Amino acid sequence: MTAWLSLAAVTAPSPDSGAHLVLALAAILTAAKLGGHLAERLGQPAVLGELLGGVLLGNLDLAGIAWFRDLPNDPALAGLAGLGAVVLLFEVGLASTIEEMRQVGWRSLIVAVLGVATPWVLGYLVGRVMLPNHSVYAHLFLGATLTATSVGITARVLRDLGRSQSAEARIILGAAVIDDVLGLVILAVVGSLITAANAHTEASLASVGLVLGKALAFLFGSLWLGSRLSPQLFGLTARLRGGSLLLVTALIFCFLLAAVAASIGLAPIVGAFAAGLVLERVHYRDFSVRGERPLEELVQPVSGFLVPIFFVVMGLKVELAGLFNGDQLALTGLLVLAAIAGKQACALGGLGAQLDRLSIGIGMIPRGEVGLIFANMGLALTINGERIVDPALYSTVVIMVLVTTVVTPPALQWSLGRSGGRSGRGAEGQ
Amino acid sequence: MTAWLSLAAVTAPSPDSGAHLVLALAAILTAAKLGGHLAERLGQPAVLGELLGGVLLGNLDLAGIAWFRDLPNDPALAGLAGLGAVVLLFEVGLASTIEEMRQVGWRSLIVAVLGVATPWVLGYLVGRVMLPNHSVYAHLFLGATLTATSVGITARVLRDLGRSQSAEARIILGAAVIDDVLGLVILAVVGSLITAANAHTEASLASVGLVLGKALAFLFGSLWLGSRLSPQLFGLTARLRGGSLLLVTALIFCFLLAAVAASIGLAPIVGAFAAGLVLERVHYRDFSVRGERPLEELVQPVSGFLVPIFFVVMGLKVELAGLFNGDQLALTGLLVLAAIAGKQACALGGLGAQLDRLSIGIGMIPRGEVGLIFANMGLALTINGERIVDPALYSTVVIMVLVTTVVTPPALQWSLGRSGGRSGRGAEGQ
């Protein structure tokens, strides 16, 4: 791969020459932007178009063009896509503060727990019925892909409908954030069960408890310690000379917490998310005083470049050819039903006389980045040589994500319209 | 590499797990920012500190820590560093316009041609005398690494001395830009000679002429066609919906031209540079009208993240252990002399009564990114199984870049001070 920029690679094109990577990026970013545009034209979130753009490119092998199908195997591109997921979760974390998380409080927690447990159980049951030859771990993993609501997609839909400031919106967004955390904890637990099974050691209740404890200790520990260290770190780097110091210090902080999370058995994205939650504007006021732009604005171009790569690469891995047989279609249909029905349990948590419970249940439907990240990890996990998520199952999960994303905007528009102005329209519009 | 984010990779750390990449990036960016700070404190450009930071990390294997030495072999990291070079040349291109290139005119061209030909010949002679066992191609390649002045470093030094607007500065910067282009053309020609030799075909004058013609045709063709297509492209994308459209469209344009350059046998960075030259603010005025920030500001965070990775990774590859023997020290010393003496030929081109010729010669001394990129390519090129640039020679080239960068700021400060206010001090200061 030092052949990256080599001339020799041009006369004898090889899959890992620099020409290959820049061409792949040009194609992927074009697909992302055209797909995103079409999706938004149709009243859908851009992420849907990015995924579908990837699905389209990846399945051009049906038309004889196999080049795109192999792209996800390119290590440089896989690395960029992985960084895209890390930067995305960092950005999602940046958008909320620990204080906000604390304020949404018990109500969101109840909604979140109901909305995580129910789809997990339903997804597990769908796996058990439809995939009897897969291991129990595959069933648990399939259920886990249904747990996390996509904060990004939900927030986007609520904003586009001008309802970001309603009570329902605050509960939904709070629950979606807690969702992510619970989903990541579930992932850590299921992952440790699989590791234990691979090592032929019995996964005792104690070992599950240990993972759960480590995950919670990391989250609370990194939030507690991080919010104390972060002001020091930025105070120190504000005294350094050089360019891009605010952005690069923030990225170092994000990558370090991602590495710590990984080193104790959690996914790197958990650390990235925690880093984003910890960082608050007041920590880097020394930079703001100098007139530097806020961190969100500096991260935005980096994520604008990397995040679409992640979604298009996720789409590239979907194999449509395998989907069109009875069993696979039935599995996909049941999984979508489990995903939608499972989140309606959230409505039960929407206590309080004035709340539009139906809208809360519908608002929790969209699955997104976290479900995709889970499915992507499952592709790499094996148990006794059997893949936890095989390519067909991966494609099913992506279709589930696509369908839940497509149905939410019109459904939410209808249900919020039905409840009328019950909980004051927000001012944002557009 | 779909194992990127995998949990399994954590319990059994493998070199290409996500944990590895985020940890490597955290370490590399920290080294870049600390090195850059120290360099600037000592009145040196930040890039020097980034390189030295990489050299330090890479040679920690002398202290028993071998982890960093292997990092440049990580394909994801090599990909990121390669993108760093592409984005850097794109940014350098963005900073000048075709019109400015035209205006610096013949004077800069003469300075540039003298300043490219002389070090090339001197470097070739050093190679011939000191490395008699290497092929003639290695000697030509070694000379080529001395050709290109670093626009970035020179511009930075002139700005820091408050002399960006002087006549000397304009000639130096213009010549440095033409330098880059000539260097890239030389690289294409030498590269094609090597390819021909590998294929055991005689490299005829006709085939060299063909490469030269292709390179010039690409440069002028892409500038001509590009400056006609670019306004159309941005006019079209300005009508799309979605975020980050200006930045991503510009990156697509850059990656596409890089891929075209690579496909006709040029280095991808030539295409990136041409793309930057072509793009002008007026092309994307539809975006500016909407209130989007100028492209330079949007590219800046992306390059602030990627470019230091490139320089630190370049430093990581330097093996200090091999440098401390008589032959190697002599080679390094002669190469540095050839680099410095060669550029003094530029003074001969500084025609015109009022010009400070000595300052022009000194201002052309710093070599930088392009020399490093050449050396890096040489590492990947082989001729009849022999590497064009072996690790020892690579380290020699990096040392040459470091020394030329270190000597320039004090020398230029002295020579400009000597000539006093002859050509009005600029207003920029700081």
Side-chain angles (χ1 to χ4, degrees):
Chain A
M1 271 305 289
T2 45
W4 207 97
L5 284 157
S6 108
L7 287 159
V10 173
T11 38
S14 84
D16 41 2
S17 74
H20 184 82
L21 185 59
V22 285
L23 194 59
L25 287 176
I28 284 172
L29 292 173
T30 304
K33 288 300 146 189
L34 289 181
H37 166 70
L38 288 175
E40 295 205 353
R41 277 297 301 267
L42 299 170
Q44 298 291 338
V47 58
L48 188 75
E50 296 174 4
L51 270 174
L52 283 175
V55 173
L56 185 75
L57 286 186
N59 288 279
L60 283 181
D61 58 348
L62 300 176
I65 303 168
W67 192 71
F68 294 101
R69 163 69 64 219
D70 295 328
L71 281 184
N73 300 324
D74 182 287
L77 199 58
L80 282 170
L83 278 185
V86 165
V87 171
L88 174 66
L89 270 277
F90 181 56
E91 214 178 14
V92 171
L94 272 183
S96 26
T97 65
I98 299 177
E99 192 45 42
E100 282 169 14
M101 288 281 283
R102 209 177 274 153
Q103 280 175 2
V104 290
W106 292 104
R107 206 174 264 179
S108 286
L109 184 63
I110 297 169
V111 169
V113 169
L114 289 169
V116 162
T118 325
W120 193 17
V121 172
L122 290 180
Y124 164 79
L125 291 175
V126 168
R128 220 173 136 172
V129 171
M130 298 298 292
L131 303 165
N133 298 327
H134 283 57
S135 65
V136 62
Y137 304 105
H139 304 152
L140 285 172
F141 207 91
L142 188 62
T145 63
L146 300 185
T147 54
T149 298
S150 165
V151 194
I153 293 171
T154 308
R156 180 74 166 271
V157 170
L158 287 166
R159 195 202 67 186
D160 290 355
L161 297 175
R163 294 297 279 268
S164 296
Q165 309 298 327
S166 64
E168 288 84 1
R170 259 181 285 128
I171 291 178
I172 292 173
L173 290 180
V177 169
I178 300 174
D179 250 5
D180 273 0
V181 175
L182 291 177
L184 294 168
V185 170
I186 288 175
L187 186 71
V189 172
V190 175
S192 79
L193 288 175
I194 292 170
T195 311
N198 268 330
H200 297 286
T201 55
E202 197 64 28
S204 65
L205 210 64
S207 72
V208 171
L210 183 70
V211 174
L212 197 66
K214 275 205 294 189
L216 293 175
F218 172 78
L219 276 171
F220 287 99
S222 64
L223 295 183
W224 187 82
L225 199 67
S227 55
R228 268 146 198 82
L229 288 182
S230 155
Q232 316 278 338
L233 177 69
F234 284 91
L236 213 69
T237 51
R239 281 188 257 154
L240 296 184
R241 298 178 186 209
S244 297
L245 272 166
L246 175 55
L247 172 67
V248 172
T249 306
L251 288 177
I252 291 172
F253 188 68
C254 162
F255 294 153
L256 270 185
L257 273 192
V260 172
S263 75
I264 61 164
L266 296 168
I269 47 167
V270 184
F273 179 69
L277 269 185
V278 163
L279 275 186
E280 286 173 31
R281 209 165 281 198
V282 63
H283 297 179
Y284 55 86
R285 59 164 175 250
D286 293 351
F287 284 100
S288 312
V289 167
R290 280 195 210 169
E292 289 211 32
R293 295 203 300 271
L295 192 52
E296 288 83 351
E297 278 185 38
L298 296 171
V299 174
Q300 208 274 320
V302 177
S303 76
F305 166 48
L306 291 177
V307 174
I309 298 174
F310 170 70
F311 285 112
V312 174
V313 169
M314 292 299 102
L316 284 176
K317 296 186 188 177
V318 174
E319 290 181 33
L320 290 180
L323 277 177
F324 297 105
N325 67 63
D327 284 358
Q328 197 69 30
L329 281 177
L331 172 65
T332 308
L334 281 175
L335 201 66
V336 168
L337 279 181
I340 294 175
K343 287 291 180 188
Q344 297 322 303
C346 293
L348 300 177
L351 306 169
Q354 292 298 325
L355 286 172
D356 177 1
R357 293 192 193 187
L358 183 63
S359 293
I360 291 179
I362 293 174
M364 297 293 288
I365 290 176
R367 307 306 199 280
E369 50 279 8
V370 178
L372 290 176
I373 291 171
F374 285 13
N376 194 37
M377 287 179 185
L379 275 177
L381 284 175
T382 57
I383 186 151
N384 304 326
E386 178 210 335
R387 267 174 154 176
I388 291 293
V389 172
D390 58 27
L393 197 52
Y394 174 85
S395 304
T396 298
V397 171
V398 177
I399 302 288
M400 179 275 293
V401 168
L402 290 173
V403 175
T404 55
T405 305
V406 171
V407 299
T408 305
L412 201 56
Q413 203 151 17
W414 164 78
S415 84
L416 285 172
R418 185 190 51 89
S419 74
R422 207 193 290 175
S423 37
R425 254 180 113 78
E428 59 268 79
Q430 207 251 30
Chain B
M1 270 304 289
T2 47
W4 208 97
L5 284 158
S6 106
L7 287 159
V10 174
T11 38
S14 85
D16 41 3
S17 74
H20 184 81
L21 184 59
V22 285
L23 194 59
L25 287 176
I28 284 172
L29 292 173
T30 304
K33 287 300 145 191
L34 289 181
H37 166 72
L38 288 174
E40 296 206 352
R41 276 295 301 265
L42 299 171
Q44 299 290 338
V47 59
L48 189 75
E50 294 174 6
L51 271 175
L52 284 175
V55 173
L56 186 74
L57 286 187
N59 288 279
L60 284 181
D61 58 349
L62 299 177
I65 303 167
W67 191 70
F68 294 101
R69 164 69 64 221
D70 295 329
L71 281 183
N73 301 323
D74 182 289
L77 199 56
L80 282 169
L83 279 185
V86 165
V87 171
L88 174 65
L89 271 275
F90 180 56
E91 215 178 13
V92 171
L94 272 183
S96 27
T97 65
I98 300 177
E99 192 44 41
E100 282 169 12
M101 289 280 283
R102 209 177 275 151
Q103 281 176 2
V104 290
W106 292 103
R107 203 174 269 180
S108 288
L109 185 63
I110 297 168
V111 169
V113 168
L114 289 169
V116 161
T118 325
W120 193 18
V121 172
L122 290 179
Y124 164 79
L125 291 176
V126 169
R128 225 177 129 171
V129 172
M130 299 298 292
L131 303 166
N133 297 327
H134 284 57
S135 66
V136 61
Y137 304 106
H139 305 152
L140 285 172
F141 207 92
L142 188 60
T145 64
L146 300 185
T147 53
T149 297
S150 166
V151 196
I153 292 171
T154 308
R156 180 74 165 271
V157 170
L158 287 166
R159 197 202 63 185
D160 291 356
L161 297 175
R163 296 295 280 268
S164 297
Q165 310 298 327
S166 65
E168 289 84 3
R170 257 179 287 128
I171 291 179
I172 293 173
L173 291 179
V177 168
I178 300 174
D179 251 5
D180 273 359
V181 175
L182 291 178
L184 293 168
V185 170
I186 288 176
L187 185 73
V189 172
V190 176
S192 79
L193 288 175
I194 293 170
T195 311
N198 268 330
H200 298 284
T201 55
E202 197 64 28
S204 65
L205 210 63
S207 73
V208 171
L210 184 70
V211 175
L212 198 65
K214 274 205 295 189
L216 293 175
F218 171 78
L219 275 171
F220 288 99
S222 65
L223 295 183
W224 186 82
L225 199 67
S227 55
R228 269 147 197 82
L229 287 181
S230 156
Q232 317 278 337
L233 178 69
F234 284 92
L236 213 70
T237 51
R239 280 190 257 153
L240 295 184
R241 300 180 185 208
S244 297
L245 272 166
L246 174 55
L247 172 67
V248 172
T249 307
L251 288 176
I252 291 171
F253 188 67
C254 162
F255 294 153
L256 270 185
L257 273 191
V260 172
S263 75
I264 62 164
L266 294 169
I269 49 168
V270 184
F273 179 69
L277 269 185
V278 163
L279 275 186
E280 285 173 31
R281 209 165 280 198
V282 63
H283 297 178
Y284 55 86
R285 58 166 175 252
D286 292 352
F287 284 99
S288 313
V289 166
R290 280 195 208 169
E292 289 212 30
R293 294 203 300 271
L295 192 50
E296 288 83 351
E297 279 186 37
L298 296 171
V299 173
Q300 208 276 321
V302 176
S303 76
F305 165 49
L306 290 177
V307 175
I309 299 175
F310 171 69
F311 284 112
V312 174
V313 169
M314 292 300 102
L316 284 175
K317 295 185 189 177
V318 174
E319 290 181 31
L320 290 180
L323 277 178
F324 297 106
N325 68 65
D327 285 359
Q328 196 69 31
L329 281 176
L331 173 64
T332 310
L334 282 175
L335 201 67
V336 168
L337 279 182
I340 293 175
K343 286 290 179 189
Q344 299 320 303
C346 294
L348 301 176
L351 306 169
Q354 291 298 324
L355 285 173
D356 175 2
R357 292 192 196 185
L358 183 61
S359 294
I360 292 180
I362 292 174
M364 297 293 288
I365 290 176
R367 309 304 199 279
E369 49 279 6
V370 178
L372 290 175
I373 290 170
F374 285 13
N376 194 37
M377 285 177 186
L379 276 177
L381 284 175
T382 57
I383 184 151
N384 303 328
E386 179 209 335
R387 266 173 154 177
I388 292 293
V389 171
D390 57 28
L393 197 53
Y394 174 85
S395 304
T396 298
V397 172
V398 177
I399 302 288
M400 178 276 291
V401 168
L402 289 174
V403 175
T404 55
T405 305
V406 170
V407 299
T408 304
L412 202 55
Q413 202 152 18
W414 165 79
S415 84
L416 285 172
R418 188 190 49 92
S419 75
R422 203 192 296 173
S423 38
R425 256 185 110 77
E428 58 267 81
Q430 206 250 22

